[in-house]
Amino acid sequence: MGKNETKDNHSFEQTTFYSDVPIRGTTEDRLNRSHFADTIADSLLSCDGSENLVVLLNGKWGSGKTSLINLIKESIVSIDHNKKTNLITPMIIDYSPWNCLSQDAIISQFLSTLSNNFKGKRIKAFLKTINKALLSKEVLELLDFIPLPSPITFSIKKVASAFQAYSKSITSDKSDLEVKKDQVVKALSKSKFRFLVFVDDLDRLNDSEIRIVMQLIKSVCCFPNITYVLSFDKEIVSSALCNEQSGAKTGGDNYLEKIVQVEFDLPPVRAEDVKSITLSDIEKVLGARIDKIDSNRFEKFLAYGLFSKFETIRQEKRFINLLNFSLGSFDLEIDYVDLIAITYLRSVDQRIIGILSKYQPWLFGTTDPYQNDFSENKKRFYKELDSTNLKGMDEYFLTTLFPYMFGCCPNGIGDDYLSGKLCNQKRFDLYLYSTLDTDDISVESIKTILESEDVSIISKFIDSLKEEQGRMFLIVLTSYAETLKKKSDFAFLIDYLFCNLSKIKFSSQFMLVDKGYFLGEICTISLKTIKAKDTLEIIDNSIAKSSDITTIIDFGARLERVKNHSGQVDFSSIDDQTRKDLISKIADKAFEAFKENMDSFSYRVSFGISFLIRNKKAEMKDYICQHDLSWKASFLSKSIFVGRVDSSNRGSYNSYSYSIDEIGSVIDLSELKKEEILKVSLSDKERQNIIVLLMQIGNFKPDDGNNYYTSEDIGRYCEENGFQFVPSDSYEKPDRE
């Protein structure tokens, strides 16, 4: 189904996104700064305008400096309209150098802005002359015809030479420019008009551009009856005015003191105000969905620091926009508290998404037995977290999101609690990767495709999926299964997955959770929705039809476990004998496939062999005994467990190990002779795997004392025993920390 069709089947509410624009007046003042703006406005109107004055509004990026300027201007106009004062109302001039594309443009626009607002001919002529002079080849040197502090001036020789050269080109009088400026000063001193020039966004310029603007204000256009109100982050501008002289670094604060006469620091944004604004905006964004908020759980997140990292309204707007966007990406039932929490973390630092993805097996408590070092991984997790803007966040915040993280075993966590939450593993990608292209991966589009019951259409759709969409497809597919009511619907879906699940592409980062998990969950939904005997009939028929050995073995392993910890895969409603019969049928089919082609188990060869040994031990032992050493060596080379391990002293690397007890139950390992088995013709990879088996049989210890080996361990063992070992390019050497 196309994008437009999908939207036609939904009812969308109008979504409001907040652009990062300043407020325009007191009606939008959510930080209660109007009184502060009134105070500054009164001061600007009351000051003596006979001398040039420079006022600074100091504040960090995103602290609301431009919004404060708008409040000040509104207050000035309001005072005039209400005629509460006899003071002369100044003419307001706005100048933003950030809009200029070059240094020349900064100079030209500054002078043009003043000229357009001044009425005297002499003033206009002077500014026009200055503009022409400053845009000549000596643009920067000519700014210095009135001395400035040394860090932002050029040498006296350069200034004199440049000024003299330009003066000759426009007049025979060397001091013509200075004479004209004196005339402008006298004219403005007698003027009844006052001017307020607001210069915003100065801290967004590069260092040289900041110096130019400061030179223009202090050296060129420091006229009487003009007050400059500068808005910037003092730390940034001070750094730009800083210079090294005679080997010693001189701070820019000293030079700012000579330029700025009055300084106002923006009031700090109170955490209580930001929280109040955020809660109000969340209520607007959620609308009627606010009733679905679990208030008790939401209060816990607030107590554990939700929104505590917000220091500016800009950060709050970013969060609200992300929340708005996420809501527009979901057409599934979700937990809004979890969505708010994860969106908050993302808005503070996007890197949290990568960190959570990396550690998801430990967050869900589903780590492989070879990778269950909770304490070490927990240390690394929080170390990575502390490298982000979320440093120091309350651990209880995360354990409220992920109750099972790093081996926690909370009480009272059942199916009802997990439903729709981030800690429900099938929802994880939905919350974290909702920005994936899901135009054609919605419940409605899947419903349309599956209800056609045209295998060619479904296969074409699955083939079109990108690797990163594979797991998202299965997540939405399980939600679609929850809408089914009829046996025939479940029959088609389950039968199709048993036969085609291995064809769905997955990216490597999502392989931690097997595809069989989703098949198990859909079968669980069927067991709860229709009669159990009907579901069992569907499963039985699907197993019989399927040639997808990897999928049916994975499903058989799910049946063996009966129920996973989250309860999403639950076969406890099937009586033990029926369950054992299904496992036996799967084992029979898998054993026949094994005898026909051992490699048919695909990347899960060792997993499949382990399943067969558990369920067909006698048959496996008899069959293996019938073969020669060459076949046995090939068999053993495929029975190895290869996985990824994160070790505190080795970094991240490929690991290799055998389940000796399982392998030893179907083949006599004591009869293996090193010299004979290593003479068998094997590929480099197979030979390496056999060496790992010999290492385990000989109780050879890895470097770090764990039960798995790296290619370095293998090389060390071969060197000590005189074996030849040439690592293949596919063998990954450990990255030591």
Side-chain angles (χ1 to χ4, degrees):
M1 179 177 290
K3 184 175 180 180
N4 293 334
E5 285 185 85
T6 302
K7 286 190 174 182
D8 289 341
N9 290 320
H10 289 77
S11 176
F12 290 101
E13 295 180 6
Q14 186 67 37
T15 300
T16 301
F17 288 94
Y18 293 86
S19 59
D20 189 19
V21 295
I23 66 172
R24 291 162 292 185
T26 54
T27 57
E28 301 173 24
D29 179 23
R30 306 173 79 183
L31 293 176
N32 300 314
R33 287 179 170 173
S34 297
H35 179 70
F36 181 62
D38 290 342
T39 301
I40 297 176
D42 286 339
S43 300
L44 292 173
L45 291 173
S46 303
C47 66
D48 181 8
S50 59
E51 297 294 331
N52 177 259
L53 181 67
V54 179
V55 177
L56 166 60
L57 303 178
N58 175 39
K60 299 291 184 182
W61 279 358
S63 60
K65 298 187 294 294
T66 307
S67 294
L68 180 62
I69 285 175
N70 289 341
L71 290 174
I72 292 170
K73 290 190 290 188
E74 182 187 56
S75 180
I76 290 171
V77 173
S78 175
I79 290 172
D80 178 50
H81 286 172
N82 293 325
K83 298 180 179 180
K84 293 181 178 179
T85 176
N86 293 321
L87 297 173
I88 299 174
T89 301
M91 180 180 293
I92 294 174
I93 302 172
D94 291 310
Y95 171 65
S96 179
W98 174 244
N99 297 323
C100 302
L101 300 179
S102 66
Q103 291 183 354
D104 286 3
I106 288 174
I107 298 167
S108 181
Q109 185 171 317
F110 179 82
L111 296 171
S112 296
T113 300
L114 294 183
S115 179
N116 291 337
N117 286 276
F118 292 164
K119 294 185 177 181
K121 290 183 179 180
R122 288 181 177 178
I123 300 175
K124 289 180 179 290
F126 170 74
L127 293 174
K128 184 177 181 180
T129 303
I130 287 290
N131 192 25
K132 183 178 179 181
L134 299 185
L135 295 182
S136 69
K137 293 181 181 180
E138 294 80 17
V139 58
L140 293 179
E141 283 107 344
L142 283 167
L143 281 172
D144 299 313
F145 70 85
I146 294 180
L148 260 184
S150 54
I152 48 178
T153 58
F154 294 82
S155 69
I156 297 298
K157 290 182 179 179
K158 280 187 176 183
V159 174
S161 174
F163 182 74
Q164 185 174 8
Y166 180 72
S167 295
K168 288 180 180 179
S169 70
I170 61 172
T171 178
S172 58
D173 187 349
K174 289 199 308 181
S175 60
D176 180 67
L177 217 52
E178 291 178 339
V179 169
K180 287 186 176 182
K181 181 177 181 180
D182 289 340
Q183 292 173 347
V184 170
V185 169
K186 290 178 181 178
L188 282 174
S189 297
K190 298 176 181 179
S191 173
K192 295 181 179 180
F193 295 101
R194 291 186 57 209
F195 301 90
L196 269 179
V197 182
F198 288 92
V199 182
D200 197 9
D201 293 328
L202 193 59
D203 47 9
R204 295 191 182 192
L205 305 178
N206 62 41
D207 289 358
S208 60
E209 291 171 339
I210 289 173
R211 291 171 186 153
I212 286 174
V213 175
M214 298 304 275
Q215 287 171 315
L216 285 168
I217 291 170
K218 192 59 182 176
S219 296
V220 180
C221 299
C222 53
F223 303 131
N225 278 323
I226 294 183
T227 297
Y228 292 99
V229 180
L230 313 182
S231 166
F232 56 73
D233 181 341
K234 186 177 178 180
E235 185 176 341
I236 293 175
V237 173
S238 176
S239 176
L241 298 180
C242 196
N243 195 25
E244 293 186 9
Q245 294 180 332
S246 305
K249 196 166 185 178
T250 308
D253 287 346
N254 294 334
Y255 306 108
L256 270 180
E257 287 179 3
K258 297 181 179 180
I259 299 171
V260 175
Q261 286 78 49
V262 182
E263 179 178 332
F264 294 98
D265 289 330
L266 266 70
V269 179
R270 298 191 311 160
E272 296 82 0
D273 291 337
V274 178
K275 183 185 290 187
S276 175
I277 291 170
T278 306
L279 294 176
S280 175
D281 285 344
I282 288 174
E283 190 171 350
K284 293 176 185 176
V285 167
L286 292 182
R289 292 170 291 197
I290 196 73
D291 294 335
K292 296 183 179 181
I293 290 283
D294 181 343
S295 57
N296 290 332
R297 192 158 175 267
F298 187 67
E299 287 295 334
K300 284 185 179 180
F301 277 110
L302 287 174
Y304 300 147
L306 183 63
F307 311 135
S308 62
K309 296 288 185 179
F310 289 166
E311 296 179 353
T312 67
I313 296 300
R314 178 172 292 167
Q315 292 172 310
E316 188 270 344
K317 286 181 179 178
R318 172 178 167 80
F319 160 75
I320 290 297
N321 285 339
L322 278 172
L323 182 62
N324 246 328
F325 185 82
S326 298
L327 286 170
S329 302
F330 294 127
D331 57 3
L332 305 175
E333 192 67 25
I334 58 168
D335 184 278
Y336 291 105
V337 175
D338 277 17
L339 180 62
I340 290 169
I342 195 65
T343 304
Y344 162 69
L345 298 180
R346 175 188 285 159
S347 70
V348 174
D349 199 315
Q350 183 68 24
R351 288 175 290 178
I352 186 63
I353 302 302
I355 295 172
L356 293 177
S357 297
K358 178 180 178 181
Y359 288 92
Q360 60 174 298
W362 288 277
L363 298 178
F364 294 111
T366 58
T367 53
D368 188 277
Y370 293 98
Q371 301 178 339
N372 61 358
D373 190 350
F374 288 126
S375 60
E376 288 299 321
N377 281 286
K378 184 176 181 180
K379 290 178 184 176
R380 281 196 291 275
F381 173 80
Y382 280 103
K383 183 178 179 180
E384 289 189 39
L385 193 66
D386 283 346
S387 69
T388 71
N389 296 328
L390 292 161
K391 180 179 181 180
M393 73 176 298
D394 196 321
E395 185 175 336
Y396 286 111
F397 188 104
L398 289 170
T399 55
T400 304
L401 273 179
F402 302 102
Y404 290 102
M405 67 184 295
F406 297 108
C408 295
C409 298
N411 295 321
I413 304 295
D415 292 356
D416 291 340
Y417 181 87
L418 290 169
S419 179
K421 288 187 172 61
L422 178 59
C423 57
N424 178 342
Q425 195 163 7
K426 78 165 188 174
R427 302 285 183 178
F428 185 78
D429 298 326
L430 196 62
Y431 281 94
L432 269 65
Y433 300 103
S434 60
T435 56
L436 286 176
D437 180 10
T438 58
D439 286 344
D440 293 319
I441 311 180
S442 65
V443 171
E444 288 296 326
S445 60
I446 288 175
K447 179 180 178 182
T448 301
I449 291 167
L450 291 179
E451 285 181 351
S452 71
E453 296 193 0
D454 187 327
V455 174
S456 63
I457 293 176
I458 300 170
S459 298
K460 185 177 180 180
F461 174 76
I462 288 176
D463 289 342
S464 71
L465 295 176
K466 302 172 185 176
E467 286 188 352
E468 63 267 22
Q469 292 177 307
R471 193 168 183 220
M472 179 66 76
F473 169 71
L474 291 176
I475 288 172
V476 180
L477 193 64
T478 55
S479 293
Y480 164 73
E482 293 173 350
T483 69
L484 301 180
K485 303 296 181 184
K486 299 178 182 179
K487 175 184 176 181
S488 58
D489 293 334
F490 278 109
F492 180 80
L493 177 58
I494 293 172
D495 183 72
Y496 182 83
L497 289 176
F498 262 108
C499 297
N500 298 279
L501 189 59
S502 62
K503 297 177 183 177
I504 299 174
K505 298 184 287 289
F506 269 38
S507 61
S508 58
Q509 63 175 315
F510 295 144
M511 292 308 295
L512 290 167
V513 179
D514 301 319
K515 299 174 187 178
Y517 170 87
F518 295 98
L519 177 57
E521 185 172 357
I522 289 172
C523 290
T524 300
I525 294 168
S526 179
L527 284 167
K528 294 178 178 179
T529 306
I530 63 177
K531 293 178 181 179
K533 68 174 186 176
D534 289 340
T535 299
L536 291 172
E537 181 185 335
I538 293 169
I539 294 172
D540 192 41
N541 292 336
S542 298
I543 291 171
K545 288 173 60 177
S546 177
S547 58
D548 188 343
I549 300 301
T550 301
T551 296
I552 65 172
I553 288 176
D554 202 347
F555 183 77
R558 304 284 170 185
L559 283 171
E560 286 181 309
R561 293 170 63 181
V562 182
K563 183 177 181 178
N564 72 340
H565 78 274
S566 67
Q568 299 301 314
V569 178
D570 184 358
F571 298 122
S572 59
S573 62
I574 305 175
D575 66 83
D576 288 345
Q577 188 56 51
T578 303
R579 189 169 51 81
K580 289 177 182 177
D581 290 343
L582 282 173
I583 293 171
S584 179
K585 287 181 180 180
I586 291 173
D588 288 342
K589 190 158 189 170
F591 184 52
E592 291 303 316
F594 172 77
K595 290 190 293 183
E596 184 178 339
N597 181 8
M598 193 191 316
D599 292 331
S600 64
F601 292 1
S602 185
Y603 74 95
R604 301 289 283 168
V605 172
S606 63
F607 181 81
I609 289 174
S610 179
F611 176 80
L612 284 175
I613 291 173
R614 291 196 302 273
N615 294 284
K616 305 286 287 185
K617 185 180 295 183
E619 293 90 335
M620 285 286 288
K621 187 172 184 179
D622 290 343
Y623 181 73
I624 292 169
C625 287
Q626 300 171 18
H627 292 81
D628 59 14
L629 184 61
S630 177
W631 187 94
K632 290 177 181 177
S634 179
F635 165 75
L636 290 170
S637 73
K638 291 175 173 60
S639 305
I640 191 171
F641 171 83
V642 181
R644 293 292 291 177
V645 171
D646 289 310
S647 174
S648 58
N649 65 335
R650 292 191 180 203
S652 180
Y653 59 89
N654 277 350
S655 66
Y656 311 88
S657 68
Y658 283 84
S659 177
I660 294 294
D661 292 339
E662 281 187 352
I663 296 297
S665 68
V666 294
I667 189 169
D668 190 351
L669 297 177
S670 64
E671 293 182 356
L672 293 179
K673 292 181 173 57
K674 299 178 185 177
E675 295 77 10
E676 292 182 8
I677 197 168
L678 289 175
K679 288 179 181 178
V680 175
S681 178
L682 298 169
S683 67
D684 283 346
K685 186 173 183 179
E686 289 173 331
R687 179 181 174 84
Q688 176 229 230
N689 293 348
I690 293 297
I691 290 173
V692 173
L693 177 62
L694 296 174
M695 292 165 70
Q696 283 191 244
I697 295 173
N699 201 28
F700 183 84
K701 299 294 183 184
D703 265 349
D704 57 6
N706 288 313
N707 296 322
Y708 35 73
Y709 302 96
T710 70
S711 55
E712 283 193 353
D713 294 321
I714 299 168
R716 182 166 55 90
Y717 175 82
C718 291
E719 186 177 349
E720 291 179 9
N721 289 272
F723 299 151
Q724 183 181 1
F725 172 57
V726 181
S728 166
D729 290 340
S730 62
Y731 306 153
E732 191 163 337
K733 192 174 182 180
D735 297 323
R736 293 190 177 276
E737 291 184 345

